[in-house]
């Protein structure tokens, strides 16, 4: 089974693997290691292999937690599947998903 990895690299959190219900719990519990404690956060989703509604909820929670700390979240290389879940859920604007940077679902 593939593993979800989140690694901070020069101010950007690189995400790889499946962003789904099987993996987001562990990623959430380890967030202090990749979110840091200050500054805005940029998450690059280029390495995401698969995403589900739990992955979307995970990103919403990250954004909410950062908002409580007066920090911003930026998402890059947004998976088409993630964008579709966001549209159906009505949270496209909440996550500031643009159509300029997207990656097709595998």
């Amino acid at each position: 089974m593939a593993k979800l990895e989140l690694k901070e690299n020069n101010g950007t959190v690189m995400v790889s693997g499946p962003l789904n219900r099987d993996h987001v719990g562990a990623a959430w519990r380890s967030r202090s290691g990749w979110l840091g404690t200050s500054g805005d956060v940029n998450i690059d989703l280029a390495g995401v292999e698969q995403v589900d509604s739990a992955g979307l909820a995970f990103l919403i929670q990250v954004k909410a937690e950062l908002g409580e700390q007066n920090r911003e979240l930026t998402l890059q290389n947004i998976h088409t599947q993630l964008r579709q879940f966001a549209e159906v859920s009505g949270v496209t604007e909440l996550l500031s998903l643009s159509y300029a940077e997207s990656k097709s679902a595998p």
Side-chain angles (χ1 to χ4, degrees):
M1 177 190 275
K3 178 178 156 187
L4 177 64
E5 294 185 30
L6 294 97
K7 295 181 182 177
E8 193 279 329
N9 183 16
N10 289 335
T12 297
V13 177
M14 307 299 292
V15 181
S16 61
L19 186 62
N20 62 27
R21 71 180 187 282
D22 295 329
H23 299 93
V24 296
W28 180 254
R29 288 186 297 276
S30 70
R31 69 191 179 281
S32 63
W34 51 267
L35 270 184
T37 57
S38 64
D40 295 341
V41 175
N42 181 46
I43 295 181
D44 188 331
L45 301 165
V48 171
E49 298 166 1
Q50 185 261 339
V51 66
D52 65 10
S53 57
L56 175 62
F58 169 80
L59 294 172
I60 292 169
Q61 281 300 118
V62 169
K63 181 169 179 74
E65 182 164 306
L66 291 173
E68 290 173 4
Q69 301 169 10
N70 294 318
R71 299 165 67 194
E72 295 290 325
L73 172 66
T74 303
L75 301 175
Q76 290 183 316
N77 297 309
I78 300 159
H79 220 275
T80 299
Q81 195 175 27
L82 175 62
R83 183 172 287 113
Q84 290 169 343
F85 275 123
E87 287 176 3
V88 169
S89 302
V91 297
T92 303
E93 286 184 31
L94 173 67
L95 288 175
S96 303
L97 300 181
S98 79
Y99 283 87
E101 303 176 48
S102 85
K103 177 182 166 188
S104 295

